[in-house]
Amino acid sequence: PSTNTTVNETVRLVEGDTDNAGRVEVFYAGEWGTICDDNWDKKEATVVCRQLGFPGVILSTTASAFGPGRGTIWMDNVACTGIETRIEDCQFPGWGMNNCGHSEDAGVICRSSTTPFSSNVTVRLAGSAGHGTSSDSGRVEIQKSGVYGTVCDDNWDTNAAKVICRQLGFADALVAVGKAFFGKGKGPVWLDNVACTGDESRIQDCKHAGWGLHNCGHGEDAGVFCTRTPVNKIQEPAVTIRLANGEDDHSGRIEVWRSGIWGTVCNDNWDFLDAVVVCHQLGFPGAMNVASFGPGNGLIWMDDVACTGRENRIQDCIFGGWGIHNCRHDEDTGVICESNGVPNITSASALDAHTVSLQWLRPPLKHNVIHHYVISYRETSAGDSSEILRSLLETLNNSTSAVVTGLRANTAYTFQIKALIDRWYGHYSSPANVTTEDEGIQLTVDMVRIDSPVL
């Protein structure tokens, strides 16, 4: 948006979208500077607006609503009666005496003949394209009295997001976001403590603290993700998880992909059972520990996750609801999973024309029990695949060798091994290739001299 500047000899408004709004700057000792918002209210704003030739004031703003200024903070603790003609005629400690930073710069929205306070309210979505913003997502901005401002995220929820999305012509809301997810806005914070039932047709019909009444900064600006299809008619979106920022493939920050958006999981109530489910979902045999791998970005998709440890997917666990949380990204959780439990075949050789001997190393697992191994083989030329030893007795769980007999003569075979670890199968080992020489059709397996029939 364009930046307008309204100025007389000693006071001006800058960084507003219109000439009647902006950060208040005063000119003293040859230098423009700002005013601190300590004790800044409508009386002081009235004097500034009168000084600039406007007929009245709509709103006084604080917390650098129109962005932080530069240079000297010339005035602080300004106390006007409201009848002064110039801001410098009001009481204040003295030029340049303050205990403020530019994050406390004061501003005003003045009344003009073209912007009465009863003007219509319009809504738009804006924000940083870095978070994938499009026409259906963004920071909520409201135009009131000709000036665009934001909505504070205090009590901001899906019901409020539904109202905004419908007001903009969408069918429904996917998720409500806060903490300036789409970047910090500027201008007034028009609404705070918004409480919608979800049935209202306009955001201004919801309960709120009052126009311009808030205790927020733009770091709390609210946003929404809208959808053109009612949520109750949307097929449950696919959910994918990954580990990020870890030192290897089995450790990292947990990230969840849903509705085309990557997000994180908050560590509230996160424990070892939750980590077990994530590790199993990623194909690892188990979890070693919970850990932190730095803050992520984007949405925080899940909070207060409570798993029993037996769920197949993290989304099957109990949690607060998609996108519902009270967390920051420095609370993003992560896991350290067991390595993928792959046996390492150390020897594969033909003992005779009908027999192959296999030997392997046990996977380096610390917290899990290997119940048995599964040997998978296929004839390389045929390209088919079969599995044997599915019903091998658990008493053989510590064996690390097998003898496969009765193989087809003069045939190339590929062998692979995987382990049943607790109740989850690990990954297959790298293949081992062996070629037999003589004729044979009956396949049996001899592991520690126990034969198993063909399955």
Side-chain angles (χ1 to χ4, degrees), residues 102-176:
H102 281 297
S103 62
E104 301 170 82
D105 286 345
V108 296
I109 302 173
C110 299
R111 190 186 307 277
S112 72
S113 58
T114 59
T115 57
F117 191 66
S118 59
S119 60
N120 292 332
V121 171
T122 58
V123 176
R124 70 183 181 186
L125 300 181
S128 168
H131 279 311
T133 54
S134 60
S135 62
D136 57 3
S137 61
R139 180 179 61 250
V140 177
E141 295 191 347
I142 296 175
Q143 187 188 57
K144 176 76 170 173
S145 303
V147 179
Y148 272 103
T150 62
V151 178
C152 182
D153 64 10
D154 292 344
N155 298 326
W156 187 252
D157 61 13
T158 304
N159 284 338
K162 287 177 181 290
V163 174
I164 286 289
C165 291
R166 283 200 303 270
Q167 191 169 355
L168 289 167
F170 297 100
D172 213 337
L174 286 174
V175 66

Side-chain angles (χ1 to χ4, degrees), residues 310-324:
R310 300 190 66 81
E311 295 86 354
N312 293 322
R313 309 174 305 169
I314 191 67
Q315 59 265 39
D316 298 332
C317 301
I318 296 172
F319 63 101
W322 292 109
I324 298 174

Side-chain angles (χ1 to χ4, degrees), residues 21 68 74 77 116 119 128 180 184 204 206 210 218 222 238 267 322 326 330 351 385 391 394 397 411 423 431-432:
W74 279 126
N77 291 305
S119 60
S128 168
K184 295 180 181 181
Q204 58 265 42
C206 300
H218 283 302
N267 63 10
W322 292 109
N326 60 349
D330 57 8
L351 297 182
S385 179
S391 58
E394 292 186 8
N397 65 329
T411 303
R423 61 190 183 94

Side-chain angles (χ1 to χ4, degrees), residues 169-338:
F170 297 100
D172 213 337
L174 286 174
V175 66
V177 295
K179 295 180 172 60
F181 178 81
F182 291 100
K184 295 180 181 181
K186 72 173 188 176
V189 178
W190 275 125
L191 295 176
D192 188 18
N193 293 309
V194 177
C196 302
T197 65
D199 297 325
E200 298 87 351
S201 58
R202 307 177 306 169
I203 195 67
Q204 58 265 42
D205 297 332
C206 300
K207 294 180 180 179
H208 56 86
W211 290 103
L213 299 177
H214 66 89
N215 61 349
C216 307
H218 283 302
E220 300 170 82
D221 286 344
V224 296
F225 286 84
C226 300
T227 174
R228 299 187 185 277
T229 304
V231 169
N232 60 6
K233 294 184 179 180
I234 299 176
Q235 183 178 2
E236 177 65 21
V239 173
T240 302
I241 64 173
R242 68 183 180 188
L243 300 181
N245 206 38
E247 296 181 355
D248 46 49
D249 66 347
H250 55 277
S251 65
R253 180 179 58 249
I254 301 166
E255 296 189 346
V256 178
W257 187 90
R258 186 177 188 269
S259 301
I261 305 164
W262 283 105
T264 62
V265 179
C266 182
N267 63 10
D268 291 347
N269 299 324
W270 188 261
D271 62 19
F272 188 77
L273 293 177
D274 307 319
V276 167
V277 174
V278 166
C279 292
H280 287 166
Q281 187 172 354
L282 289 167
F284 297 105
M288 295 181 65
N289 206 348
V290 299
S292 175
F293 292 90
N297 53 43
L299 291 174
I300 296 175
W301 269 126
M302 304 178 77
D303 187 19
D304 294 314
V305 178
C307 303
T308 66
R310 300 190 66 81
E311 295 86 354
N312 293 322
R313 309 174 305 169
I314 191 67
Q315 59 265 39
D316 298 332
C317 301
I318 296 172
F319 63 101
W322 292 109
I324 298 174
H325 65 89
N326 60 349
C327 306
R328 303 178 307 274
H329 278 299
D330 57 8
E331 300 173 79
D332 289 342
T333 194
V335 295
I336 301 173
C337 299
E338 290 269 24

Side-chain angles (χ1 to χ4, degrees), residues 2-20:
S2 62
T3 297
N4 292 272
T5 301
T6 300
V7 61
N8 76 352
E9 294 180 355
T10 57
V11 67
R12 68 183 181 184
L13 303 183
V14 298
E15 297 295 337
D17 291 341
T18 57
D19 62 2
N20 64 312

